[in-house]
């Protein structure tokens, strides 16, 4: 039971954005996608979601090409939080979250929809703002409200016994403070523990190493490395791909997961191993 | 949501009462004094006169004003939702300008053609309807590449198309004789004075299609406010929503404009007023806009035929005179509060 990219090539404006990408996202796992700016991480996620159509190769959902699935059916099995968190104008937070039910809204009556939306609003820590207009929220709050809408989409699909779907998150903590960064990633892990698949594009290598079961490093449009964080996030990778200093990768005492502690003096030219 | 729903229920009740009162007031008001109760006690010459005025003159006129107001307001709501632009109105979709061009062609050039004489007095509205659907179709085809319609291309092409048809209409007006000019002036300012039950019969099938589409489109248009990508990710067939929205706008606007002429501001102002009260949910805004549009245009038409009685002011002038300050107030308010 997977969402899988097979031999993906994607060209835009004459440029090869992605090439030779074969990558399965398994149910029950959190896959974090990391890489320098412009590596093609978000493009990869957009292809996996069906928002973009690959130039070559196929995206398969449980053995079927997603190109053959109507939008309505696809929406029952995958939901995506994009980087554009629209202000959604005068919609109240609760209204916006309920919109996540989409074309499956008829499965629940209005009271059930409200209860589910309220529960999700609480889970993303916005219970105080449920009746506030979206445009009055900060960027981070807005991002979490959209996360609740995306979760609503998969929750409503599950009401008829559909397996938990794939949750695709494109930089979901980019606007969050540290506490809410942890909250968002906890929600993603909870979804995976319930049997859903999760793919997250992250810039923060420490959070990626902490939350992922599988780490995928994208560099110059292709997969540079993948595997458990312990084996992937090495000193060489930190130097070669991310241009960090030698000695910046450490091991967490309790979890044994790698973490990065940069020790650059930003006022001085640093002896970096390679520029990314 | 419960608060919003009860607010919406109150709004619908209020609009329903206002609509009935406006229609009764419009029936009772006019150059000829009639009594509504004569409709049910038609004995004597007074009763005959009342029936004539109410059933054959004011009746169709009021129904036509209601339907046109509702249609223009629904078309405006759909356009604003689809383009995610609060200033969008049906005129931007090329419908009104194409209808104007086709109608002007008939008035100025086509008076003697065989099919024009066959269609008789329906030649002008039929040309308007054909023109509006052709205009919308051309714009849609222009903005669609590989099965994907670019709303930006459609908006820009709509502006260019409007200017070009305006220029062609101007050339035709330049060639027009005095009689044609009078007809054109009447048409470009809008009037319900020619409303008949037959005209309403021509309008209703189009409005039923537009109404059915509006019911289907209400929830998808909410999702489109979160942008096309999010709507697609939520499972909505985005391209179908765009094409059905344009069809709904053409069905709601083309026939109405062809029958009663160009009437501005209803399509822009009414959805704004409704959103101020009930928020942006199209499932509420669409029906409420239809009701408010009906009320405002019936009221405006009543003013149009009584302000200079027994002469008539074109209803387009009344809506523009009332609509412009309302529009400016809305703009100033949205600028102050950040709501657009």
């Amino acid at each position: 039971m997977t969402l899988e990219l097979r031999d993906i090539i994607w060209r835009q404006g004459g440029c090869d954005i992605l090439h030779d990408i074969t990558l399965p996202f398994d149910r029950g796992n959190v896959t974090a996608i990391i890489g320098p700016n412009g590596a093609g991480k978000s493009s990869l996620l957009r292809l996996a979601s069906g928002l973009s159509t690959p130039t070559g190769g196929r995206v398969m959902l449980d053995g079927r090409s997603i190109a053959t699935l109507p939008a309505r059916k696809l929406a029952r099995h995958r939901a995506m939080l994009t980087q554009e968190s629209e202000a959604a104008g005068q919609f109240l937070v609760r209204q916006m979250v309920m919109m996540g039910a989409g074309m499956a809204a008829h499965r629940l009556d209005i009271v059930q929809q409200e209860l589910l939306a309220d529960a999700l609003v609480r889970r993303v820590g916005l219970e105080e703002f449920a009746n506030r207009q979206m445009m009055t929220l900060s960027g981070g709050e807005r991002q979490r409200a959209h996360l609740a809408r995306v979760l609503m989409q998969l929750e409503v699909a599950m009401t008829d016994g559909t397996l938990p779907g794939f949750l695709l998150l494109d930089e979901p903590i980019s606007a969050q403070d540290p506490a809410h960064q942890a909250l968002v990633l906890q929600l993603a892990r909870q979804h995976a523990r319930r049997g859903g698949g999760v793919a997250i594009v992250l810039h923060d290598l420490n959070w990626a190493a902490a939350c992922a079961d599988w780490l995928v490093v994208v560099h110059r449009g292709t997969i540079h490395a993948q595997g458990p964080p312990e084996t992937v996030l090495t000193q060489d990778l930190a130097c070669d791909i991310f241009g960090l200093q030698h000695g910046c990768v450490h091991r967490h005492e309790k979890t044994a997961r790698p973490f990065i502690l940069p020790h650059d003096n930003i006022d001085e030219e640093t002896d970096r191993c390679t520029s990314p | 949501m419960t608060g919003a729903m009860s607010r919406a229920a109150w709004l619908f009740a209020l609009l329903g009462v206002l609509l009935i009162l406006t229609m009764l007031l419009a029936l009772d008001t006019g150059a000829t004094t009639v009594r509504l109760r004569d409709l049910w006690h038609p004995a004597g010459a007074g009763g005959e006169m009342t029936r004539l005025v109410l059933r054959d003159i004011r009746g169709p006129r009021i129904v036509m004003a209601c339907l046109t107001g509702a249609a223009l307001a629904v078309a405006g709501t759909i356009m604003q939702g689809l383009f995610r632009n609060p200033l969008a109105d049906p005129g931007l979709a090329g419908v009104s300008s194409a209808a104007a061009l086709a109608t002007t062609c008939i008035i100025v050039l086509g008076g003697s053609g065989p099919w024009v004489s066959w269609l008789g007095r329906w030649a002008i509205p039929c040309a308007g309807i054909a023109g509006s659907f052709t205009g919308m179709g051309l714009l849609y085809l222009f903005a669609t590449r590989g099965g994907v319609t670019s709303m930006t291309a459609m908006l820009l092409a709509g502006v260019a198309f409007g200017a070009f048809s305006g220029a062609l209409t101007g050339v035709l007006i330049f060639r027009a004789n005095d009689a044609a000019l009078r007809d054109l002036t009447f048409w470009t300012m809008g009037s319900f004075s020619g409303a008949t039950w037959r005209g309403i019969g021509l309008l209703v099938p189009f409005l039923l299609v537009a109404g059915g589409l509006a019911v289907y489109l209400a929830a998808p248009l909410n999702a489109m406010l979160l942008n096309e990508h999010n709507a697609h990710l939520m499972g909505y067939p985005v391209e179908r929503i765009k094409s059905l929205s344009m069809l709904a706008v053409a069905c709601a606007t083309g026939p109405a404009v062809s029958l009663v002429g160009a009437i501005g501001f209803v399509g822009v102002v009414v959805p704004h007023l409704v959103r101020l009260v009930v928020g942006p949910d199209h499932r509420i805004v669409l029906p409420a806009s239809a009701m408010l549009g009906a009320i405002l245009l019936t009221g405006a038409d009543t003013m149009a035929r009584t302000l200079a009685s027994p002469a008539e002011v074109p209803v387009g002038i009344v809506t523009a005179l009332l609509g412009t300050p309302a529009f400016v107030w809305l703009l100033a308010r949205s600028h102050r509060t950040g709501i657009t």
Side-chain angles (χ1 to χ4, degrees), chain A residues 212-231:
Chain A
D213 301 302
W214 196 257
L215 203 55
V216 176
V217 183
V218 180
H219 183 48
R220 292 183 179 152
T222 195
I223 294 175
H224 178 84
Q226 60 177 314
E230 296 83 355
T231 58

Side-chain angles (χ1 to χ4, degrees), chain B residues 266-294:
Chain B
V266 177
V268 181
V269 175
V270 169
H272 271 286
L273 289 172
V274 172
R275 278 194 214 99
L276 284 179
V277 181
V278 292
D281 188 342
H282 283 95
R283 292 170 301 177
I284 297 165
V285 175
L286 277 165
S289 292
M291 292 171 85
L292 187 61

Side-chain angles (χ1 to χ4, degrees), chain A residues 46 49-51 71-72 75 78 80 82 84 86 88 90-91 94-96 98-100 102-103 110 114 131 135 146 149 153, chain B residues 1-2 4-5 84 216 222-223 225-227 229-230 232-237 275-276 278-282 337-340:
Chain A
R46 288 168 62 89
S49 73
L51 263 187
R72 184 179 185 161
R78 72 89 187 87
M80 178 173 171
T82 60
E84 312 113 41
E86 295 288 322
Q90 295 163 275
F91 278 112
R94 183 190 281 128
Q95 274 181 311
M96 213 276 302
M98 285 175 72
M99 280 163 62
M103 296 187 84
I110 189 79
E114 282 183 10
N131 289 313
M135 63 184 182
H146 279 280
R149 169 180 60 76
Q153 182 179 330
Chain B
M1 180 60 81
T2 315
M5 293 294 249
R84 295 200 294 148
Y216 168 77
N222 283 347
L225 288 180
L226 302 182
N227 82 29
H229 288 160
N230 282 320
H232 171 78
L233 289 166
M234 287 158 72
Y236 291 104
R275 278 194 214 99
L276 284 179
V278 292
D281 188 342
H282 283 95
T337 58
I339 301 170
T340 51

Side-chain angles (χ1 to χ4, degrees), chain B residues 65-77 90 203 207 210 248-249 251-253 256 266 290 293-294:
Chain B
C66 277
L67 292 176
T68 306
L72 293 177
V74 164
T77 309
L203 186 63
L207 296 190
V249 169
C251 282
T253 318
V266 177

Side-chain angles (χ1 to χ4, degrees), chain B residues 120-136:
Chain B
R121 57 199 294 247
W122 300 109
I124 291 176
C126 286
I129 292 169
S132 58
F133 278 90
T134 309
M136 167 72 77

